[in-house]
């Protein structure tokens, strides 16, 4: 079932192939949250009227704890409901969950107004700004993950210590050494294709147990919907296979898990606008693209929070790892956070700051907002960095911690300007909740360092 409408769902249900529909909304962390409903109930009522869900789903941390400071105060509202309004274009089967389909929903208030801080709405607002200029965005995300032998429960009971990786050594681009992870990654590849995603490439990566599956680019919102489905489904499949996998940016001292975002713009007629055949002296980049890239550099310090939202995000963005630490751009230069790659109709931007924990809707929204800032202000683009931007001390630094990123987000004023006060304040509250949880925790590092010797 790859249809986007509901008539096919009715047919599949009548044939006994679909019994339930999962109605889900992406939360602040980019996870799918929602409920299962029967197909008759979905078709008769939910498809038309939506489905109620508690407002705290969009005002909670990774532990589902909510509190004051968010634009949505769940306690003050008595933990009432907003409405999940299904987007029929997202309906798809879940091959790893037989008899089940999933539809992604937008959160709206009972009166029909969109919930401004919902991640999907944050991205939609930036896509609407592009539409006003006669532009659309195409995007692709490249997610890496680590596979471990043993189940999630095994990992939990071991407090994530002493876990065995799915491969024993660096298998970057290798065509050998993958036999131990191949059963689960093969199933992930095949079932994502059955769910309607178009796979392009798959390969082992640098960290033992690390793997990357890349799916074809699409309209930006569709890409983000597929991204969250992929993360959800990959974990479910791993669980069913008796192994565990993680997208966390930095599991240990080895290479981290990235989520590189590729993005290009098209005109209203579908024509590419980043390339200029007459601009050979400037690597074929149009003036619009040059302004768009310049906007990334100008806005990155203040918008890093939308690309690196957690304490662990910044463990990946540290010197010594193959992840960005500075603010620069380069032509096919992977040491820069902003890499320009491709040519002609494939000319695009690759943003290398987001990690595997990034909420795709927010990360893509930040890329678009920064690009629009560059276009609107006609920002000039400096020369590309010619060498190793990771080792160059003259390159301005990214925020080094979540606390610094939060400070730049709040004090700079750009986030409030481009996303609105409610969105800026809501995600600042989310960052403060993450920081408070971390700062109250006692880590293994502290115990090893101080239990006996201090």
């Amino acid at each position: 079932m790859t249809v986007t409408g509901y008539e096919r769902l009715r047919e599949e249900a009548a044939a006994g192939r679909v019994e339930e529909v999962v109605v889900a909304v992406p939360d602040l962390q980019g996870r799918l949250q929602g409920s299962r409903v029967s197909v008759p109930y979905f078709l008769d009522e939910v498809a038309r009227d939506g489905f109620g869900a508690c407002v705290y789903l969009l005002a909670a941390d990774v532990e589902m704890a909510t509190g004051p400071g968010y634009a949505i105060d769940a306690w003050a509202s008595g933990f009432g409901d907003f409405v999940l309004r299904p987007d029929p274009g997202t309906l798809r089967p879940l091959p790893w969950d037989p008899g089940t389909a999933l539809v992604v929903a937008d959160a709206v208030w009972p009166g029909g107004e969109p919930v401004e801080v919902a991640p999907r709405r944050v991205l939609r607002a930036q896509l609407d700004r592009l539409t006003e200029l006669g532009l659309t965005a195409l995007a692709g995300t490249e997610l890496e993950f680590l596979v471990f032998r043993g189940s999630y429960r095994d990992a939990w009971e071991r407090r994530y210590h002493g876990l065995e990786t799915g491969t024993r050594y660096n298998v970057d681009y290798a065509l050998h050494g993958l036999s131990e992870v191949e059963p689960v990654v093969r199933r992930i590849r095949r079932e994502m294709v059955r769910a309607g995603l178009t796979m392009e490439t798959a390969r082992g990566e640098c960290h033992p147990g690390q793997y990357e599956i890349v799916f074809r680019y699409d309209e930006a919102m569709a890409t983000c919907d597929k991204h969250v489905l992929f993360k959800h489904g990959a974990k479910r499949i791993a669980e069913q296979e008796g192994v565990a996998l993680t997208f966390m940016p930095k599991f240990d001292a080895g290479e981290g898990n990235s989520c590189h975002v590729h993005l290009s713009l098209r005109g209203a007629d579908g024509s590419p606008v980043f390339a200029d055949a007459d601009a050979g002296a400037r690597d074929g980049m149009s003036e619009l693209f040059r302004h768009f890239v310049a906007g990334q550099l100008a806005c990155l310090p203040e918008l890093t929070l939308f690309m690196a939202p957690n304490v662990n995000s910044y463990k990946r963005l540290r010197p010594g790892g193959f992840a960005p630490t500075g603010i620069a751009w380069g032509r096919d230069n992977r040491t820069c956070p902003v890499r320009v790659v491709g040519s002609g109709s494939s000319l695009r931007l690759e943003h290398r700051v987001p990690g595997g924990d990034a909420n795709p809707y927010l990360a893509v929204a930040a890329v678009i907002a920064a690009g629009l800032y560059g276009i609107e202000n006609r920002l000039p683009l400096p020369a590309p960095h010619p060498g190793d931007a990771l080792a160059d001390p003259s390159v301005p630094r990214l925020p080094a911690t979540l606390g610094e990123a939060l400070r730049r987000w709040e004090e700079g004023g750009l986030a409030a300007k481009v996303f609105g006060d409610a969105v800026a304040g809501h995600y600042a509250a989310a960052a403060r909740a993450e920081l408070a949880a971390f700062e109250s925790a006692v880590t293994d590092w502290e115990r090893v360092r101080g239990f006996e010797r201090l």
Side-chain angles (χ1 to χ4, degrees):
M1 184 181 69
T2 58
V3 70
T4 59
Y6 295 144
E7 284 308 310
R8 180 66 179 277
L9 175 63
R10 195 181 301 276
E11 295 170 4
E12 293 289 308
R17 289 188 288 268
V18 178
E19 302 167 351
E20 298 173 336
V21 178
V22 175
V23 181
V25 63
D27 69 4
L28 303 192
Q29 289 75 36
R31 303 172 301 181
L32 291 174
Q33 309 283 10
S35 298
R36 292 173 181 264
V37 299
S38 70
V39 172
Y41 179 47
F42 178 83
L43 291 172
D44 293 344
E45 297 187 34
V46 176
R48 181 189 66 240
D49 302 327
F51 183 81
C54 185
V55 296
Y56 97 108
L57 292 178
L58 294 179
D61 67 8
V62 70
E63 298 276 9
M64 300 305 292
T66 188
Y70 293 100
I72 298 173
D73 190 329
W75 288 97
S77 66
F79 284 82
D81 280 357
F82 44 48
V83 178
L84 302 186
R85 179 178 291 165
D87 179 346
T90 67
L91 182 69
R92 62 184 68 247
L94 298 183
W96 53 89
D97 193 349
T100 305
L102 177 138
V103 65
V104 179
D106 287 304
V108 300
W109 296 113
E113 306 85 0
V115 177
E116 186 178 1
V117 300
R120 237 174 160 252
R121 178 60 188 174
V122 173
L123 175 55
R124 175 55 60 197
Q126 298 307 310
L127 295 176
D128 288 346
R129 293 178 64 199
L130 285 176
T131 299
E132 292 173 0
L133 299 177
L135 300 170
T136 59
L138 300 178
T141 58
E142 299 178 335
L143 273 167
E144 296 168 342
F145 55 90
L146 298 179
V147 180
F148 295 92
R149 302 178 67 179
S151 69
Y152 280 114
R153 178 164 290 280
D154 292 338
W156 170 270
E157 291 176 350
R158 295 171 69 168
R159 306 308 295 164
Y160 307 101
H161 285 281
L163 304 185
E164 297 180 72
T165 54
T167 62
R168 299 180 299 281
Y169 43 78
N170 184 331
V171 290
D172 191 29
Y173 286 94
L175 299 180
H176 62 275
L178 295 168
S179 59
E180 292 179 274
V181 299
E182 187 59 25
V184 67
V185 297
R186 181 192 297 119
R187 186 177 164 201
I188 291 171
R189 296 194 306 262
R190 289 177 173 175
E191 297 197 3
M192 290 302 156
V193 171
R194 288 176 57 200
L197 281 66
T198 302
M199 195 196 87
E200 288 196 336
T201 64
R203 65 180 176 90
E205 276 281 358
C206 297
H207 192 293
Q210 192 172 47
Y211 203 82
E212 177 186 75
I213 305 175
V214 177
F215 299 97
R216 188 165 179 80
Y217 68 86
D218 203 338
E219 186 275 327
M221 185 69 77
T223 286
C224 295
D225 290 337
K226 293 173 183 178
H227 174 118
V228 296
L229 174 73
F230 169 55
K231 287 185 71 174
H232 170 77
K235 292 178 183 179
R236 288 291 305 275
I237 292 169
E239 189 173 33
Q240 292 169 7
E241 292 290 322
V243 301
L245 61 81
T246 184
F247 294 91
M248 69 181 296
K250 195 74 167 173
F251 174 74
D252 58 16
E255 292 81 4
N257 288 320
S258 66
C259 172
H260 300 152
V261 174
H262 291 250
L263 189 136
S264 65
L265 299 184
R266 295 288 188 268
D269 61 355
S271 60
V273 298
F274 276 178
D276 184 349
D278 297 325
R282 294 175 298 184
D283 291 327
M285 296 172 64
S286 68
E287 281 300 314
L288 183 142
F289 190 22
R290 296 176 69 81
H291 294 320
F292 195 90
V293 175
Q296 306 304 316
L297 306 182
C299 298
L300 187 50
E302 294 184 40
L303 300 187
T304 298
L305 186 66
F306 259 9
M307 301 182 182
N310 298 299
V311 168
N312 186 252
S313 309
Y314 297 85
K315 302 296 178 70
R316 170 177 163 267
L317 304 174
R318 300 291 297 175
F322 197 61
T325 56
I327 301 171
W329 82 280
R331 194 72 159 93
D332 195 16
N333 186 339
R334 286 184 170 88
T335 69
C336 296
V338 180
R339 173 183 177 231
V340 172
V341 65
S343 61
S345 61
S346 71
L347 188 63
R348 63 194 184 277
L349 172 153
E350 178 191 36
H351 212 300
R352 298 176 62 83
V353 171
D357 63 332
N359 184 321
Y361 304 96
L362 305 181
V364 173
V367 173
I368 294 172
L372 286 172
Y373 182 86
I375 292 171
E376 292 166 351
N377 292 281
R378 301 189 61 81
L379 296 183
L381 182 64
H385 197 285
D388 186 355
L390 298 173
D392 187 345
S394 70
V395 173
R397 298 291 94 184
L398 286 167
T401 65
L402 179 59
E404 183 184 351
L406 173 59
R407 179 181 63 79
R408 300 293 291 269
W409 173 272
E410 291 190 297
E411 294 180 1
L414 179 65
K417 180 178 180 181
V418 298
F419 299 120
D421 290 336
V423 170
H426 192 73
Y427 286 94
R432 281 193 292 273
E434 167 80 357
L435 282 168
F438 177 71
E439 289 166 358
S440 65
V442 178
T443 66
D444 288 343
W445 181 88
E446 292 167 278
R447 293 188 183 96
V448 171
R449 194 173 182 87
F451 187 90
E452 177 180 351
R453 292 173 289 177
L454 293 181

